Amino acid sequence: MNSYKGLLMEFKQKVVEWICEHADEFQLINACVEHFSRYVYDENGNYLIGGEIRFNFIVDACRLLTA
């Protein structure tokens, strides 16, 4: 596995763990995106390279794990 795929898998694991620990949090998707914002947005609020993919993963994971 190359290092990028390894990092992406690690990111996904951390997101899933965070969601499981905070499943009852108000506005879970917003809170999760805020928690992982440094992996999604730059300092100007624009998507980083791959940031939109990470954002969509967070949204999908929150919806799947709390449905």
Side-chain angles (χ1 to χ4, degrees):
M1 180 181 313
N2 69 33
S3 61
Y4 174 76
K5 285 189 179 188
L7 289 174
L8 188 58
M9 184 60 67
E10 185 177 330
F11 170 78
K12 289 178 178 181
Q13 289 173 333
K14 294 294 183 187
V15 168
V16 170
E17 289 172 8
W18 191 93
I19 292 168
C20 291
E21 292 172 7
H22 298 87
D24 295 328
E25 188 154 335
F26 180 69
Q27 294 188 345
L28 180 64
I29 293 172
N30 292 338
C32 190
V33 169
E34 183 178 331
H35 182 80
F36 292 100
S37 65
R38 67 180 179 201
Y39 302 103
V40 178
Y41 304 112
D42 66 13
E43 62 276 353
N44 297 320
N46 299 313
Y47 283 121
L48 295 168
I49 295 173
E52 188 171 7
I53 293 168
R54 292 182 191 102
F55 174 82
N56 290 333
F57 175 79
I58 290 170
V59 171
D60 292 343
C62 285
R63 289 180 178 159
L64 178 66
L65 293 170
T66 59

